[in-house]
Amino acid sequence: MAIFDIIGPVMIGPSSSHTAGAARIGYFAREIFGDSFDFVEVDLFNSFADTGKGHGTDIAIIGGLLGFEPDDPRILHSFEIATERGIKFRINWNKEENEDLPPNTAKITFYENSTPFYIVGNSIGGGKVEIININGYEVKLSGKHFALIISALDTLGIAAYITNIIAKSGINIASMDIKRDSSIGESLSVIKLDSEFPDEEIAEFYKNPHIKNVIKIRKLSE
Amino acid sequence: MIKKVKFKTFKDLKAQVLRSGLTLPEFLKNYEAVNQGITVEEAEKRMKLRLNVMKKNIENGLKHPNVSRTGLTNGGAYKVKEFFENKGALLLSSEFTEVIMNTLAVSETNACMGRIVAAPTAGACGVLPGALLTIAKHKNISVERLVDALFVSGGIGEVIGKIASLSGAKHGCQAEIGSATSMAAGAIVSIFSDDIDAIESAAAFAMKNLLGLVCDPIGGYVEIPCIKRNVSGAFNAISSAEMALAGIRTVIPFDEVVLAMKRIGEKMSPTLKETAEGGLATTPTAKELVKRIKSG
Ligand code: SF4
């Protein structure tokens, strides 16, 4: 732990797990999906659903989804600001205990042109969070690294193609994790990087017709 | 600049400080700067930002009655302030009342979704500013000295985190308010003395006084008993610091006190560790209140 983690973080109260962590999940989800959504659905589970009202978990997640970091006082007014920006949202308080999910879990579903895209995040304490699922693919992202998330048709040589491009850009790969969903013949690669992948080289990936989608994730601030 | 540094215990920290020839705050500033890859000036600047948030919390937290989403927090700090302004200090000096007021102001700000500095946690965020900043105001302590004191409190927190933990879910409230009060006690001593043994003793006294404290927040909300526990933590820090400054030294070294805290925490029933399944949280009145909050 760093001294700034002990005298800190600076955050919107009252709870590092239920408020600051919740805001961070929202923020992280927006980082992954982008900001082009006009409707978002937030499902709260377990302790988030149980005590989230009093902790402002709902307000905090919406704040994060608007791009507010966990110490941004605008979080308190996130519902009004969302409405001003023309963003509709629905909060579902799932009161039934869900044993398959960690204690403080939120599922965030974005609707852009009515196609849903979802992200599941978990607040692990001290304001820290993990993204554990993206559209059905299990992942484990903490925001500590720059990352690329690449979905592709599961074809031979795709991993080599991807790593080749990254190597050419001169960036170190911290780790690479490939998940296959054989039922739809797709794979999802989560690649953690030591530094940021340049925007202008993202197009390289799409030169391979099997690559469907590339999401770039910045490192989240402490 | 020193190379990347680590310490696991207070004893270890003290040995390194003495070897370095630096004071404890100087050492800790270097430590944080090196580990974060920033300059000492930048580290000081970041800490100053935190200090300013704490000051603002006291100022704004007393402007009007703070009411939380649950309604469990309802204008306590403001009540003390009004009483104080109209009638003066009730029991002791005005400084005593100010500690109460200032600590409540910060903790209530947290409960009401304000922007605070977790120290070490959000639930215990009132102890350090409430005790340290009130004393600093009355003793005309410079900003630089206060920034240094916050590094000292962070160093103490780091030792606790390494030996035990700073989480109520893991070791009960002794790890939250207990740690905050230890951190504040050491910080207070550090603004009057560079004697690292005095700092250690203050931290040790403070923690010893709260060993065994369970975490039993009503409904799981960081309000009852948390907010008023911050006040008792602030006073515990002040009396511990005063004893240490007067020259009393702890018989049990701080590291061992923290180890005791850890062992007690491990023996504590999970119902008394932030789950709201025991202690105050399961009193008939608490259950009734929670039912009302959750239904609407
Ligand atoms: S009772 Fe629990 S939640 Fe409240 S301050 Fe203590 S440790 Fe934190």
Side-chain angles (χ1 to χ4, degrees):
Chain A
M1 248 187 164
I3 287 181
F4 289 134
D5 290 334
I6 290 164
I7 309 299
V10 178
M11 54 169 268
I12 301 299
S15 160
S16 56
S17 54
H18 287 64
T19 321
R24 207 169 160 84
I25 291 174
Y27 188 86
F28 208 159
R30 175 193 171 101
E31 186 63 32
I32 294 170
F33 181 78
D35 56 6
S36 58
F37 55 92
D38 43 30
F39 178 60
V40 63
E41 192 167 6
V42 178
D43 276 275
L44 301 173
F45 296 96
N46 298 336
S47 175
F48 262 9
D50 193 34
T51 66
K53 258 242 157 72
H55 282 124
T57 305
D58 47 348
I59 301 181
I61 292 189
I62 297 298
L65 286 167
L66 294 173
F68 304 158
E69 297 205 38
D71 71 334
D72 192 325
R74 286 178 294 177
I75 284 177
L76 193 52
H77 310 290
S78 66
F79 283 10
E80 295 85 345
I81 299 172
T83 311
E84 274 165 30
R85 293 193 189 169
I87 294 170
K88 291 200 181 68
F89 56 90
R90 183 161 62 218
I91 314 277
N92 302 320
W93 305 86
N94 296 283
K95 294 283 179 193
E96 287 282 293
E97 174 91 16
N98 187 326
E99 283 179 12
D100 297 332
L101 291 171
N104 299 316
T105 303
K107 177 182 175 192
I108 297 168
T109 312
F110 295 96
Y111 293 89
E112 187 194 14
N113 310 322
S114 78
T115 325
F117 179 99
Y118 72 85
I119 287 160
V120 183
N122 162 27
S123 175
I124 56 176
K128 298 199 164 48
V129 305
E130 257 172 18
I131 299 300
I132 54 176
N133 198 309
I134 300 177
N135 255 353
Y137 290 101
E138 279 176 27
V139 295
K140 204 174 177 159
L141 290 167
S142 67
K144 270 194 232 128
H145 288 91
F146 295 97
L148 290 169
I149 299 177
I150 300 177
S151 58
L153 292 177
D154 190 17
T155 47
L156 201 66
I158 202 83
Y161 181 83
I162 292 170
T163 49
N164 214 348
I165 292 175
I166 299 171
K168 260 194 258 161
S169 74
I171 289 169
N172 252 337
I173 295 181
S175 73
M176 178 158 175
D177 188 23
I178 306 172
K179 298 259 155 49
R180 295 206 163 80
D181 185 340
S182 47
S183 64
I184 53 170
E186 268 188 29
S187 73
L188 187 90
S189 306
V190 178
I191 307 134
K192 294 181 183 164
L193 305 169
D194 283 352
S195 50
E196 187 168 3
F197 191 83
D199 279 332
E200 54 285 4
E201 287 172 37
I202 295 269
E204 286 296 307
F205 292 111
Y206 290 111
K207 286 186 182 156
N208 183 323
H210 299 308
I211 290 184
K212 292 173 55 184
N213 194 20
V214 180
I215 298 170
K216 190 176 125 170
I217 298 176
R218 284 179 301 157
K219 201 154 113 175
L220 299 191
S221 63
E222 55 124 352
Chain B
M1 270 232 197
I2 13 182
K3 292 196 300 296
K4 270 219 172 194
V5 269
K6 282 201 167 68
F7 53 85
K8 285 207 179 77
T9 61
F10 198 89
K11 193 174 164 203
D12 183 12
L13 171 63
K14 181 182 159 184
Q16 289 189 49
V17 172
L18 294 181
R19 229 179 296 131
S20 71
L22 302 169
T23 62
L24 179 61
E26 280 168 354
F27 180 89
L28 290 168
K29 279 191 281 191
N30 268 300
Y31 162 88
E32 190 67 0
V34 172
N35 292 351
Q36 300 267 353
I38 56 177
T39 63
V40 171
E41 292 71 40
E42 178 62 28
E44 287 172 335
K45 218 168 97 200
R46 282 196 200 172
M47 196 58 102
K48 208 162 137 193
L49 286 176
R50 287 160 156 77
L51 177 65
N52 287 339
V53 174
M54 293 177 178
K55 285 183 177 163
K56 267 233 172 73
N57 289 160
I58 292 178
E59 211 184 292
N60 294 339
L62 292 170
K63 279 195 180 141
H64 43 72
N66 304 307
V67 182
S68 67
R69 275 193 117 195
T70 59
L72 294 176
T73 302
N74 196 354
Y78 194 76
K79 221 167 262 167
V80 178
K81 183 189 117 161
E82 280 205 311
F83 185 92
F84 179 57
E85 282 176 355
N86 295 331
K87 305 212 169 105
L90 178 64
L91 297 177
L92 285 171
S93 64
S94 60
E95 290 90 335
F96 186 90
T97 312
E98 271 178 60
V99 170
I100 301 178
M101 209 162 80
N102 293 347
T103 309
L104 287 177
V106 181
S107 282
E108 288 183 1
T109 299
N110 177 58
C112 301
M113 295 191 80
R115 180 171 184 257
I116 52 90
V117 186
T121 59
C125 73
V127 176
L128 186 58
L132 185 67
L133 298 191
T134 311
I135 290 177
K137 183 186 140 202
H138 286 282
K139 299 286 177 191
N140 284 319
I141 305 298
S142 70
V143 168
E144 291 70 36
R145 196 91 205 190
L146 273 178
V147 165
D148 281 4
L150 290 181
F151 276 100
V152 170
S153 74
I156 293 167
E158 184 131 1
V159 168
I160 301 171
K162 288 216 166 110
I163 297 176
S165 94
L166 299 157
S167 138
K170 210 152 175 208
H171 291 133
C173 197
Q174 48 168 6
E176 285 201 16
I177 299 284
S179 298
T181 194
S182 255
M183 289 159 55
I188 294 168
V189 169
S190 79
I191 55 178
F192 299 105
S193 163
D194 284 336
D195 184 350
I196 194 163
D197 291 331
I199 294 170
E200 172 178 3
S201 286
F205 296 150
M207 178 66 85
K208 277 191 265 186
N209 295 341
L210 293 188
L211 284 180
L213 192 63
V214 301
C215 170
D216 50 357
I218 291 182
Y221 305 115
V222 196
E223 297 185 74
I224 302 176
C226 315
I227 293 177
K228 287 171 199 79
R229 258 183 208 171
N230 275 264
V231 177
S232 89
F235 282 114
N236 180 45
I238 295 170
S239 53
S240 299
E242 184 143 340
M243 287 191 277
L245 283 166
I248 311 182
R249 292 292 170 264
T250 181
V251 174
I252 313 289
F254 181 61
D255 293 332
E256 293 182 34
V257 175
V258 178
L259 192 64
M261 184 272 269
K262 179 184 178 206
R263 290 190 180 141
I264 294 166
E266 285 165 353
K267 290 212 172 83
M268 228 176 241
S269 152
T271 61
L272 299 170
K273 292 195 271 195
E274 219 177 86
T275 49
E277 286 165 357
L280 282 171
T282 47
T283 54
T285 304
K287 284 190 189 155
E288 206 36 59
L289 278 170
V290 171
K291 215 190 281 162
R292 213 183 306 153
I293 294 165
K294 288 189 179 164
S295 67

